[in-house]
Amino acid sequence: MNRKAGVSLVVLGISLVLIVARAGEVLAQTAPLTAELRISGAVTTPLVLTIADLKNMPRRKLSVVNPHDKKTENYEGVLLEELLRKAGVPQGENLRGSSMATYVLAEGADGYRVVFSLAELDSGILDSDVIVADTMDGAPLGANQGPFRLVAPHEKRPARWVRMLKSITVTRVANP
């Protein structure tokens, strides 16, 4: 192979690497924008929410110390209570009787699942401040945490924090 052909192959190889790298950057920047959080089950209005939807809702900021690395993390997102309200889940004075036997199942893309009673998430009963966060320390959540993360700031351990949150299912326990 002559020198000119060898140089052309090297330039072509570098160009392909740059094109693939740039395509990866574009995908990384656009993929989270298409992420969806589904709220379903015993709701009057099932929801499919995007990051843009959360950005247009009332926001809550909170600061917590991560017990694993003892660092302060600043999250921003929407109260889970607000999302449940938007889905038509009974709250406030309407949360009574058989509705008190309702629970919320939050599930991450990795299969991790946790349960909250509906009463735990109602500010008329308890100030839980559980949020669906989409940013930490002013930046979008990383791929291993987001694009949505359930954060329960008043719990002693983050055992019910759900990273890569994909769905919230409301279930009313059947009467015996």
Side-chain angles (χ1 to χ4, degrees), residues 49-69:
L49 302 167
T50 64
I51 291 172
D53 293 328
L54 260 63
K55 297 285 187 206
N56 290 319
M57 296 181 75
R59 309 282 290 170
R60 175 69 59 101
K61 293 181 181 182
L62 55 92
S63 187
V64 296
V65 175
N66 184 322
H68 298 298
D69 58 13

Side-chain angles (χ1 to χ4, degrees), residues 35-39 49 51 54 78 80 83 104-114 116 130-134 141-151 160-169:
E36 296 177 339
L37 173 61
R38 297 185 177 279
I39 301 178
L49 302 167
I51 291 172
L54 260 63
V78 177
L80 180 53
L83 297 175
V104 175
L105 175 69
E107 184 172 0
D110 60 357
Y112 190 69
R113 301 184 313 165
V114 301
F116 290 87
V130 174
I131 68 168
V132 173
D134 55 10
L141 295 170
N144 64 338
Q145 295 297 319
F148 305 109
R149 184 174 192 186
L150 193 69
V151 179
R160 292 197 294 178
W161 292 28
V162 180
R163 62 190 179 104
M164 299 180 293
L165 182 65
K166 70 173 189 173
S167 67
I168 295 167
T169 306

Side-chain angles (χ1 to χ4, degrees), residues 2 72 87 97 104 112 128 133 170:
N2 68 32
T72 299
V104 175
Y112 190 69
S128 68
V170 178

Side-chain angles (χ1 to χ4, degrees), residues 39-47 83-84 87-90 168-172:
I39 301 178
S40 61
V43 300
T44 58
T45 308
L47 301 173
L83 297 175
L84 294 172
V89 175
I168 295 167
T169 306
V170 178
T171 303
R172 189 169 285 131

Side-chain angles (χ1 to χ4, degrees), residues 83-151:
L83 297 175
L84 294 172
R85 178 179 296 115
K86 188 173 176 77
V89 175
Q91 294 179 333
E93 290 300 315
N94 294 324
L95 182 55
R96 59 182 57 230
S98 63
S99 292
M100 291 298 291
T102 301
Y103 64 91
V104 175
L105 175 69
E107 184 172 0
D110 60 357
Y112 190 69
R113 301 184 313 165
V114 301
V115 172
F116 290 87
S117 72
L118 185 57
E120 287 180 276
L121 302 170
D122 189 291
S123 61
I125 295 174
L126 182 69
D127 292 326
S128 68
D129 294 326
V130 174
I131 68 168
V132 173
D134 55 10
T135 66
M136 183 178 78
D137 296 330
L141 295 170
N144 64 338
Q145 295 297 319
F148 305 109
R149 184 174 192 186
L150 193 69
V151 179

